[in-house]
Amino acid sequence: MKIKRVHLVGIALVLIVSLVAQFLSRYLPQLGAESLAMIIGIILGNTIFANARYAAGVKWSEKYPIEIGIALLGSTLTFKTLSKLGLNGIAFIIINMILVITIVFVLGKYLFKVDDNSTMLMGAGNAVCGSSAIAAVAPVIKAKDDDRRTAVATVSLTGMLLLLTLPTLSHFFFGNNDLLRGALVGGTVQSVGQVVGTAALINSNVVTFATLFKLLRVIMLVFVVLLFAYLAKRRDAKDLATTEEKAKVTILPWYIIVFAILLVINSLATLPTPVHQVSHTISTFFGIVNLAAIGLNLKWTVIKKSGVKFLSFGFLVGATQVILAIALIKIFF
């Protein structure tokens, strides 16, 4: 995690892109700072700033700040969130997440024929919280950097489509019922920022409900990481040649452990409001930094390699996720 001189120019570039995206999001709230950061990053990383001198710092920015952001996110959450949603709300989110992950695996394996790691990254990104979930799952399943970047780009683009369509769809299916509209937005849109941005296009009450539903999905991040770590360990054990290698134990990343500890502490003894505010601000900004760095690192060749197939995979998952959520909301509410 140590910053070296070779990292400085790349880190400075990522910070500038992140700040510009944050500024532009005031005028383009429909897109949000995270999506803007990734779009600007992709354009600049493949044109003006394609030089290798930025690579080390951009790669550093892609990996470490988001880990701190995920860890701090735990201090902004509490198990009391569950009680605010009621048993129906909790059941809706948990069953929806299970079905989304299952459908991602089925589509990935049988229809789109993508590898296991890409499938797990897509499952985490869509079921939990976009790029943060992908960043949390990637190291425990030993995913390649290109696979992770492609998954983040696909999930983020899907989130942008949902942002533009859900306000109209939520009104069509649920009228002016803010709770149900919040359930649809909070139960489907990928990143926290995109959830707030989508809900804000409807009204402030929907923002409140959507955020609650979304936070429950974020709380489930620990369990999703544990599940995929277990699945990856079982898969890898079949390929390992030596007894010594088989004896190695996969340990959860430090930031997932800290996330869980802070979540428990905040649930048992509520942390001071300034701690929540600072943690939320840092976590949000590091999420923007992560997408700026991913955009700068995501080259046209990688996008072309993933091609129409992977984008189709992502968009079909997004559409299925919305259909599932609408059906489950009708059942539980």
Short mmCIF file of all heavy atoms in Angstrom, two decimals, residues 183-233:
data_model
loop_
_atom_site.label_atom_id
_atom_site.label_comp_id
_atom_site.label_asym_id
_atom_site.label_seq_id
_atom_site.Cartn_x
_atom_site.Cartn_y
_atom_site.Cartn_z
N ALA A 183 -38.41 0.38 -2.98
CA ALA A 183 -37.99 -1.02 -2.97
C ALA A 183 -37.44 -1.44 -4.33
O ALA A 183 -36.43 -2.15 -4.41
CB ALA A 183 -39.18 -1.92 -2.58
N LEU A 184 -38.11 -0.98 -5.41
CA LEU A 184 -37.65 -1.33 -6.75
C LEU A 184 -36.28 -0.74 -7.03
O LEU A 184 -35.37 -1.43 -7.51
CB LEU A 184 -38.66 -0.84 -7.79
CG LEU A 184 -38.29 -1.10 -9.26
CD1 LEU A 184 -38.17 -2.60 -9.51
CD2 LEU A 184 -39.32 -0.48 -10.20
N VAL A 185 -36.10 0.54 -6.72
CA VAL A 185 -34.82 1.20 -6.98
C VAL A 185 -33.73 0.64 -6.06
O VAL A 185 -32.64 0.25 -6.52
CB VAL A 185 -34.94 2.73 -6.79
CG1 VAL A 185 -33.58 3.40 -6.89
CG2 VAL A 185 -35.90 3.33 -7.81
N GLY A 186 -34.01 0.58 -4.76
CA GLY A 186 -33.01 0.11 -3.80
C GLY A 186 -32.69 -1.36 -3.93
O GLY A 186 -31.60 -1.81 -3.54
N GLY A 187 -33.62 -2.13 -4.52
CA GLY A 187 -33.40 -3.57 -4.66
C GLY A 187 -32.75 -3.99 -5.96
O GLY A 187 -32.40 -5.15 -6.12
N THR A 188 -32.57 -3.04 -6.89
CA THR A 188 -32.03 -3.41 -8.20
C THR A 188 -30.80 -2.62 -8.64
O THR A 188 -29.85 -3.20 -9.17
CB THR A 188 -33.11 -3.24 -9.30
OG1 THR A 188 -33.59 -1.90 -9.28
CG2 THR A 188 -34.27 -4.19 -9.09
N VAL A 189 -30.80 -1.32 -8.42
CA VAL A 189 -29.69 -0.49 -8.93
C VAL A 189 -28.39 -0.87 -8.22
O VAL A 189 -28.39 -1.15 -7.01
CB VAL A 189 -30.00 1.01 -8.76
CG1 VAL A 189 -28.84 1.86 -9.28
CG2 VAL A 189 -31.28 1.37 -9.52
N GLN A 190 -27.27 -0.85 -8.96
CA GLN A 190 -26.03 -1.45 -8.47
C GLN A 190 -25.30 -0.65 -7.40
O GLN A 190 -25.14 -1.11 -6.28
CB GLN A 190 -25.10 -1.74 -9.66
CG GLN A 190 -25.50 -2.95 -10.49
CD GLN A 190 -26.64 -2.67 -11.44
OE1 GLN A 190 -27.17 -1.58 -11.50
NE2 GLN A 190 -27.02 -3.68 -12.21
N SER A 191 -24.82 0.53 -7.70
CA SER A 191 -24.01 1.28 -6.74
C SER A 191 -24.88 2.16 -5.86
O SER A 191 -25.98 2.55 -6.24
CB SER A 191 -22.96 2.14 -7.45
OG SER A 191 -23.56 3.29 -8.00
N VAL A 192 -24.37 2.49 -4.67
CA VAL A 192 -25.09 3.35 -3.74
C VAL A 192 -25.36 4.71 -4.38
O VAL A 192 -26.46 5.26 -4.28
CB VAL A 192 -24.31 3.52 -2.42
CG1 VAL A 192 -25.03 4.50 -1.49
CG2 VAL A 192 -24.14 2.17 -1.73
N GLY A 193 -24.35 5.26 -5.04
CA GLY A 193 -24.50 6.56 -5.69
C GLY A 193 -25.58 6.55 -6.75
O GLY A 193 -26.37 7.50 -6.87
N GLN A 194 -25.63 5.48 -7.54
CA GLN A 194 -26.65 5.38 -8.59
C GLN A 194 -28.04 5.19 -8.01
O GLN A 194 -29.03 5.64 -8.58
CB GLN A 194 -26.30 4.24 -9.55
CG GLN A 194 -25.14 4.57 -10.47
CD GLN A 194 -24.74 3.40 -11.34
OE1 GLN A 194 -24.92 2.24 -10.99
NE2 GLN A 194 -24.16 3.70 -12.51
N VAL A 195 -28.13 4.50 -6.85
CA VAL A 195 -29.42 4.34 -6.17
C VAL A 195 -29.97 5.71 -5.78
O VAL A 195 -31.13 6.05 -6.05
CB VAL A 195 -29.29 3.45 -4.93
CG1 VAL A 195 -30.53 3.57 -4.03
CG2 VAL A 195 -29.10 1.99 -5.32
N VAL A 196 -29.12 6.51 -5.13
CA VAL A 196 -29.54 7.85 -4.69
C VAL A 196 -29.89 8.71 -5.90
O VAL A 196 -30.90 9.43 -5.89
CB VAL A 196 -28.44 8.51 -3.85
CG1 VAL A 196 -28.81 9.96 -3.51
CG2 VAL A 196 -28.21 7.72 -2.57
N GLY A 197 -29.07 8.63 -6.95
CA GLY A 197 -29.32 9.42 -8.16
C GLY A 197 -30.63 9.05 -8.83
O GLY A 197 -31.40 9.93 -9.25
N THR A 198 -30.90 7.75 -8.92
CA THR A 198 -32.15 7.27 -9.54
C THR A 198 -33.35 7.71 -8.72
O THR A 198 -34.34 8.23 -9.26
CB THR A 198 -32.14 5.74 -9.67
OG1 THR A 198 -30.97 5.33 -10.38
CG2 THR A 198 -33.37 5.25 -10.41
N ALA A 199 -33.28 7.48 -7.39
CA ALA A 199 -34.40 7.82 -6.51
C ALA A 199 -34.65 9.33 -6.49
O ALA A 199 -35.80 9.77 -6.39
CB ALA A 199 -34.12 7.31 -5.10
N ALA A 200 -33.58 10.12 -6.59
CA ALA A 200 -33.71 11.58 -6.57
C ALA A 200 -34.50 12.09 -7.77
O ALA A 200 -35.12 13.16 -7.72
CB ALA A 200 -32.34 12.23 -6.54
N LEU A 201 -34.50 11.31 -8.86
CA LEU A 201 -35.28 11.68 -10.05
C LEU A 201 -36.78 11.47 -9.81
O LEU A 201 -37.60 11.93 -10.61
CB LEU A 201 -34.82 10.87 -11.26
CG LEU A 201 -33.39 11.12 -11.76
CD1 LEU A 201 -33.06 10.17 -12.89
CD2 LEU A 201 -33.22 12.56 -12.20
N ILE A 202 -37.12 10.77 -8.73
CA ILE A 202 -38.53 10.53 -8.40
C ILE A 202 -38.97 11.53 -7.34
O ILE A 202 -39.68 12.48 -7.64
CB ILE A 202 -38.75 9.07 -7.94
CG1 ILE A 202 -38.22 8.09 -9.01
CG2 ILE A 202 -40.22 8.81 -7.65
CD1 ILE A 202 -38.24 6.64 -8.62
N ASN A 203 -38.52 11.32 -6.08
CA ASN A 203 -38.77 12.32 -5.03
C ASN A 203 -37.96 11.98 -3.78
O ASN A 203 -37.36 10.89 -3.70
CB ASN A 203 -40.27 12.47 -4.70
CG ASN A 203 -40.88 11.20 -4.13
OD1 ASN A 203 -40.38 10.64 -3.17
ND2 ASN A 203 -41.99 10.75 -4.73
N SER A 204 -37.95 12.86 -2.79
CA SER A 204 -37.11 12.70 -1.61
C SER A 204 -37.54 11.51 -0.75
O SER A 204 -36.70 10.87 -0.11
CB SER A 204 -37.11 13.98 -0.76
OG SER A 204 -38.44 14.31 -0.37
N ASN A 205 -38.84 11.21 -0.70
CA ASN A 205 -39.30 10.04 0.07
C ASN A 205 -38.77 8.75 -0.52
O ASN A 205 -38.37 7.83 0.21
CB ASN A 205 -40.84 9.99 0.11
CG ASN A 205 -41.44 11.02 1.03
OD1 ASN A 205 -40.79 11.46 1.98
ND2 ASN A 205 -42.66 11.44 0.74
N VAL A 206 -38.74 8.66 -1.83
CA VAL A 206 -38.21 7.47 -2.50
C VAL A 206 -36.71 7.34 -2.22
O VAL A 206 -36.20 6.22 -2.06
CB VAL A 206 -38.48 7.52 -4.01
CG1 VAL A 206 -37.83 6.34 -4.72
CG2 VAL A 206 -39.98 7.51 -4.28
N VAL A 207 -36.01 8.47 -2.14
CA VAL A 207 -34.58 8.44 -1.79
C VAL A 207 -34.39 7.75 -0.44
O VAL A 207 -33.53 6.88 -0.28
CB VAL A 207 -33.98 9.86 -1.76
CG1 VAL A 207 -32.56 9.82 -1.19
CG2 VAL A 207 -33.97 10.48 -3.15
N THR A 208 -35.21 8.12 0.56
CA THR A 208 -35.10 7.54 1.90
C THR A 208 -35.35 6.04 1.87
O THR A 208 -34.56 5.25 2.40
CB THR A 208 -36.11 8.21 2.86
OG1 THR A 208 -35.84 9.60 2.91
CG2 THR A 208 -36.00 7.61 4.25
N PHE A 209 -36.45 5.61 1.26
CA PHE A 209 -36.78 4.18 1.21
C PHE A 209 -35.76 3.39 0.39
O PHE A 209 -35.33 2.31 0.80
CB PHE A 209 -38.19 3.98 0.63
CG PHE A 209 -39.29 4.40 1.55
CD1 PHE A 209 -40.23 5.35 1.15
CD2 PHE A 209 -39.40 3.87 2.83
CE1 PHE A 209 -41.26 5.74 1.99
CE2 PHE A 209 -40.42 4.26 3.69
CZ PHE A 209 -41.35 5.19 3.27
N ALA A 210 -35.38 3.93 -0.76
CA ALA A 210 -34.43 3.23 -1.63
C ALA A 210 -33.09 3.04 -0.92
O ALA A 210 -32.46 1.98 -1.03
CB ALA A 210 -34.23 4.01 -2.92
N THR A 211 -32.66 4.06 -0.18
CA THR A 211 -31.40 3.97 0.55
C THR A 211 -31.45 2.88 1.61
O THR A 211 -30.48 2.13 1.79
CB THR A 211 -31.06 5.33 1.21
OG1 THR A 211 -30.99 6.33 0.20
CG2 THR A 211 -29.72 5.25 1.93
N LEU A 212 -32.57 2.76 2.31
CA LEU A 212 -32.72 1.71 3.33
C LEU A 212 -32.61 0.32 2.70
O LEU A 212 -31.91 -0.56 3.22
CB LEU A 212 -34.06 1.86 4.06
CG LEU A 212 -34.18 3.03 5.04
CD1 LEU A 212 -35.60 3.12 5.58
CD2 LEU A 212 -33.19 2.86 6.19
N PHE A 213 -33.33 0.12 1.61
CA PHE A 213 -33.26 -1.18 0.92
C PHE A 213 -31.84 -1.47 0.43
O PHE A 213 -31.35 -2.59 0.50
CB PHE A 213 -34.25 -1.23 -0.24
CG PHE A 213 -35.67 -1.47 0.18
CD1 PHE A 213 -36.59 -0.43 0.20
CD2 PHE A 213 -36.09 -2.73 0.56
CE1 PHE A 213 -37.91 -0.65 0.58
CE2 PHE A 213 -37.41 -2.97 0.95
CZ PHE A 213 -38.32 -1.93 0.97
N LYS A 214 -31.20 -0.42 -0.09
CA LYS A 214 -29.84 -0.59 -0.60
C LYS A 214 -28.87 -0.94 0.52
O LYS A 214 -27.99 -1.80 0.35
CB LYS A 214 -29.39 0.70 -1.31
CG LYS A 214 -27.99 0.62 -1.90
CD LYS A 214 -27.92 -0.45 -2.96
CE LYS A 214 -26.50 -0.60 -3.50
NZ LYS A 214 -26.44 -1.66 -4.51
N LEU A 215 -29.00 -0.28 1.67
CA LEU A 215 -28.09 -0.53 2.78
C LEU A 215 -28.20 -1.96 3.28
O LEU A 215 -27.20 -2.55 3.71
CB LEU A 215 -28.36 0.46 3.93
CG LEU A 215 -28.01 1.92 3.64
CD1 LEU A 215 -28.28 2.79 4.86
CD2 LEU A 215 -26.56 2.06 3.20
N LEU A 216 -29.39 -2.54 3.20
CA LEU A 216 -29.53 -3.95 3.59
C LEU A 216 -28.74 -4.83 2.63
O LEU A 216 -28.08 -5.79 3.05
CB LEU A 216 -31.00 -4.35 3.58
CG LEU A 216 -31.30 -5.82 3.88
CD1 LEU A 216 -30.64 -6.26 5.18
CD2 LEU A 216 -32.80 -6.05 3.95
N ARG A 217 -28.75 -4.50 1.34
CA ARG A 217 -27.94 -5.25 0.37
C ARG A 217 -26.45 -5.11 0.69
O ARG A 217 -25.70 -6.08 0.61
CB ARG A 217 -28.20 -4.75 -1.04
CG ARG A 217 -29.58 -5.12 -1.58
CD ARG A 217 -29.91 -4.36 -2.84
NE ARG A 217 -29.06 -4.71 -3.97
CZ ARG A 217 -28.99 -3.99 -5.09
NH1 ARG A 217 -29.69 -2.86 -5.22
NH2 ARG A 217 -28.21 -4.37 -6.08
N VAL A 218 -26.04 -3.90 1.09
CA VAL A 218 -24.63 -3.68 1.43
C VAL A 218 -24.24 -4.49 2.66
O VAL A 218 -23.14 -5.06 2.73
CB VAL A 218 -24.36 -2.18 1.66
CG1 VAL A 218 -22.91 -1.96 2.11
CG2 VAL A 218 -24.61 -1.38 0.38
N ILE A 219 -25.13 -4.57 3.65
CA ILE A 219 -24.87 -5.36 4.85
C ILE A 219 -24.60 -6.82 4.47
O ILE A 219 -23.78 -7.50 5.09
CB ILE A 219 -26.04 -5.26 5.84
CG1 ILE A 219 -26.06 -3.87 6.49
CG2 ILE A 219 -25.96 -6.34 6.93
CD1 ILE A 219 -27.28 -3.59 7.34
N MET A 220 -25.28 -7.30 3.44
CA MET A 220 -25.14 -8.69 3.00
C MET A 220 -23.82 -8.95 2.28
O MET A 220 -23.52 -10.10 1.93
CB MET A 220 -26.30 -9.07 2.08
CG MET A 220 -27.68 -8.98 2.73
SD MET A 220 -27.86 -10.12 4.13
CE MET A 220 -27.84 -11.68 3.26
N LEU A 221 -23.02 -7.89 2.06
CA LEU A 221 -21.75 -8.04 1.34
C LEU A 221 -20.85 -9.09 1.97
O LEU A 221 -20.24 -9.90 1.27
CB LEU A 221 -21.02 -6.69 1.28
CG LEU A 221 -19.61 -6.68 0.67
CD1 LEU A 221 -19.66 -7.11 -0.79
CD2 LEU A 221 -18.98 -5.30 0.79
N VAL A 222 -20.75 -9.08 3.29
CA VAL A 222 -19.88 -10.03 3.99
C VAL A 222 -20.26 -11.47 3.64
O VAL A 222 -19.39 -12.31 3.36
CB VAL A 222 -19.95 -9.82 5.52
CG1 VAL A 222 -19.13 -10.88 6.23
CG2 VAL A 222 -19.44 -8.44 5.89
N PHE A 223 -21.54 -11.77 3.64
CA PHE A 223 -22.00 -13.13 3.38
C PHE A 223 -21.75 -13.53 1.93
O PHE A 223 -21.43 -14.69 1.64
CB PHE A 223 -23.49 -13.25 3.73
CG PHE A 223 -23.79 -12.90 5.16
CD1 PHE A 223 -24.35 -11.66 5.46
CD2 PHE A 223 -23.49 -13.76 6.18
CE1 PHE A 223 -24.62 -11.31 6.78
CE2 PHE A 223 -23.75 -13.43 7.50
CZ PHE A 223 -24.32 -12.21 7.80
N VAL A 224 -21.90 -12.57 1.01
CA VAL A 224 -21.64 -12.86 -0.41
C VAL A 224 -20.16 -13.14 -0.64
O VAL A 224 -19.80 -14.08 -1.36
CB VAL A 224 -22.12 -11.69 -1.29
CG1 VAL A 224 -21.69 -11.89 -2.74
CG2 VAL A 224 -23.64 -11.56 -1.22
N VAL A 225 -19.29 -12.37 0.00
CA VAL A 225 -17.84 -12.61 -0.12
C VAL A 225 -17.49 -13.98 0.45
O VAL A 225 -16.71 -14.73 -0.16
CB VAL A 225 -17.04 -11.50 0.61
CG1 VAL A 225 -15.56 -11.85 0.64
CG2 VAL A 225 -17.23 -10.16 -0.09
N LEU A 226 -18.06 -14.32 1.59
CA LEU A 226 -17.81 -15.64 2.19
C LEU A 226 -18.27 -16.76 1.26
O LEU A 226 -17.56 -17.77 1.09
CB LEU A 226 -18.53 -15.75 3.53
CG LEU A 226 -17.89 -15.03 4.72
CD1 LEU A 226 -18.85 -15.02 5.91
CD2 LEU A 226 -16.57 -15.68 5.12
N LEU A 227 -19.44 -16.59 0.65
CA LEU A 227 -19.97 -17.60 -0.26
C LEU A 227 -19.04 -17.81 -1.45
O LEU A 227 -18.68 -18.95 -1.78
CB LEU A 227 -21.36 -17.18 -0.75
CG LEU A 227 -21.94 -18.00 -1.91
CD1 LEU A 227 -22.19 -19.44 -1.47
CD2 LEU A 227 -23.22 -17.36 -2.45
N PHE A 228 -18.63 -16.71 -2.09
CA PHE A 228 -17.79 -16.83 -3.28
C PHE A 228 -16.38 -17.30 -2.93
O PHE A 228 -15.74 -17.98 -3.73
CB PHE A 228 -17.76 -15.51 -4.05
CG PHE A 228 -19.06 -15.19 -4.75
CD1 PHE A 228 -19.39 -13.90 -5.10
CD2 PHE A 228 -19.95 -16.19 -5.06
CE1 PHE A 228 -20.58 -13.60 -5.75
CE2 PHE A 228 -21.15 -15.92 -5.70
CZ PHE A 228 -21.46 -14.62 -6.05
N ALA A 229 -15.89 -16.93 -1.75
CA ALA A 229 -14.59 -17.43 -1.30
C ALA A 229 -14.64 -18.95 -1.15
O ALA A 229 -13.71 -19.68 -1.54
CB ALA A 229 -14.20 -16.78 0.02
N TYR A 230 -15.73 -19.45 -0.59
CA TYR A 230 -15.93 -20.89 -0.41
C TYR A 230 -16.01 -21.61 -1.76
O TYR A 230 -15.36 -22.63 -1.99
CB TYR A 230 -17.19 -21.14 0.40
CG TYR A 230 -17.63 -22.59 0.45
CD1 TYR A 230 -16.93 -23.53 1.22
CD2 TYR A 230 -18.72 -23.03 -0.30
CE1 TYR A 230 -17.32 -24.86 1.25
CE2 TYR A 230 -19.12 -24.36 -0.27
CZ TYR A 230 -18.41 -25.27 0.50
OH TYR A 230 -18.80 -26.59 0.53
N LEU A 231 -16.81 -21.04 -2.69
CA LEU A 231 -16.95 -21.65 -4.01
C LEU A 231 -15.63 -21.67 -4.77
O LEU A 231 -15.28 -22.66 -5.42
CB LEU A 231 -18.01 -20.90 -4.83
CG LEU A 231 -19.46 -20.99 -4.33
CD1 LEU A 231 -20.36 -20.11 -5.19
CD2 LEU A 231 -19.94 -22.43 -4.33
N ALA A 232 -14.88 -20.57 -4.67
CA ALA A 232 -13.59 -20.49 -5.36
C ALA A 232 -12.58 -21.47 -4.76
O ALA A 232 -11.80 -22.10 -5.48
CB ALA A 232 -13.04 -19.07 -5.29
N LYS A 233 -12.64 -21.62 -3.44
CA LYS A 233 -11.71 -22.54 -2.76
C LYS A 233 -12.00 -23.98 -3.19
O LYS A 233 -11.08 -24.76 -3.45
CB LYS A 233 -11.86 -22.40 -1.25
CG LYS A 233 -10.84 -23.20 -0.46
CD LYS A 233 -11.03 -22.97 1.04
CE LYS A 233 -10.04 -23.82 1.83
NZ LYS A 233 -10.24 -23.67 3.29
#
